[in-house]
Amino acid sequence: MDSLPPMPQFTAFDAVTQLIAATIYLAIGAAGLGQAPRDERTRVFCGLGIAHAVGFSIPAVAWMFGVTDPGAFNRIPLAITLAALSLGAMLMFHFSQVFPKRRPWIRGSGPQLPIAYALIGPAIFLLVRWWPVTKEAFTTQFGLVFILFGFPLLVLMGLVLPVASIVSFLRSLREQPVRTPAEMTGETVDGRPLPDARPTIFGILLSQLAGGALGLLVLGPLNRAAPESFAVTLVAMTVWMLGLLTPLAYAAGVWKYRALEIGVDASAEVQTD
């Protein structure tokens, strides 16, 4: 795959951290689904966990078989990996539209989400699967397909959906009710703290914003300048820990802050309609 841009070598550190992340995402997603199997939010996050588990696990398994160069991966595993991560971006956007309750856009979106789910995975898979092996094999027909479909899809997955997810979470955070001092300390009428989605939303925002910015602006350039330095390992570990904030914040929302109790009536009304 000489025409693909060079990528950093995959290391034992990458394999171990990605397998741990895959396990955490999958375990929390499955546990949340078991907690509330009919809740749209747990179903979407479980799908997110599966997508991340697939996307993280395949490179780690390839490393176990001695493949350290992502560009040398077999086409089909690489296509599955990138398709899974693309679906992960779609699922994160979907989750931002339903947590802690359904937002106005998704209520009127009609068939847009089902169509996107049906097209994005296969499109990314086929784009990677058919990517020309050499520059000479890059035909005019493939270039036209890439310009018309591939490039807009990459922009959608890599920029539009992540930004839209962050904006949705920020709006949901702003719309959370202001609590009284008694409510903030957990002193409610029935002796239980009120459901609260703010810690989960804040954790996900911190994970996506700080982790994404650190990975793009610091880790990427540092990897090219000093690929085997201690600084790269330190920054990569920080990015990994920030990435794990997303499933851990979700878990806290489900089992500590009772966030699934928010918007239950509204969700039921939407499903009934």
Side-chain angles (χ1 to χ4, degrees), residues 5-189:
M7 291 188 281
Q9 293 291 303
F10 205 74
T11 65
F13 171 82
D14 298 322
V16 171
T17 53
Q18 291 203 13
L19 283 176
I20 293 174
T23 302
I24 291 175
Y25 260 103
L26 197 58
I28 292 178
L33 185 63
Q35 177 79 10
R38 300 183 63 183
D39 194 304
E40 181 182 13
R41 294 163 292 187
T42 62
R43 295 198 300 266
V44 173
F45 197 90
C46 185
L48 179 66
I50 294 172
H52 279 77
V54 172
F56 292 157
S57 298
I58 291 178
V61 172
W63 176 85
M64 295 178 184
F65 285 94
V67 181
T68 59
D69 181 7
F73 283 3
N74 183 279
R75 285 298 186 90
I76 293 179
L78 181 60
I80 294 174
T81 299
L82 296 179
L85 294 177
S86 298
L87 281 174
M90 187 70 212
L91 285 158
M92 177 57 76
F93 170 72
H94 189 170
F95 185 69
S96 74
Q97 290 292 312
V98 297
F99 185 89
K101 59 183 179 180
R102 292 172 66 90
R103 297 200 56 79
W105 179 88
I106 196 172
R107 293 178 183 175
S109 62
Q112 294 182 56
L113 275 177
I115 291 173
Y117 279 124
L119 294 180
I120 286 174
I124 294 292
F125 178 88
L126 293 175
L127 184 65
V128 176
R129 179 68 181 85
W130 290 340
W131 191 272
V133 178
T134 63
K135 293 180 180 179
E136 291 73 18
F138 200 96
T139 63
T140 303
Q141 292 84 350
F142 184 87
L144 185 61
V145 170
F146 178 75
I147 292 173
L148 293 178
F149 301 101
F151 181 73
L153 189 59
L154 294 179
V155 172
L156 177 68
M157 295 293 100
L159 180 63
V160 176
L161 287 182
V163 171
S165 301
I166 290 170
V167 170
S168 294
F169 280 126
L170 285 171
R171 289 177 176 173
S172 294
L173 184 63
R174 184 185 61 188
E175 293 167 2
Q176 294 305 297
V178 177
R179 300 294 172 84
T180 65
E183 291 171 342
M184 293 177 66
T185 58
E187 298 175 7
T188 60
V189 176

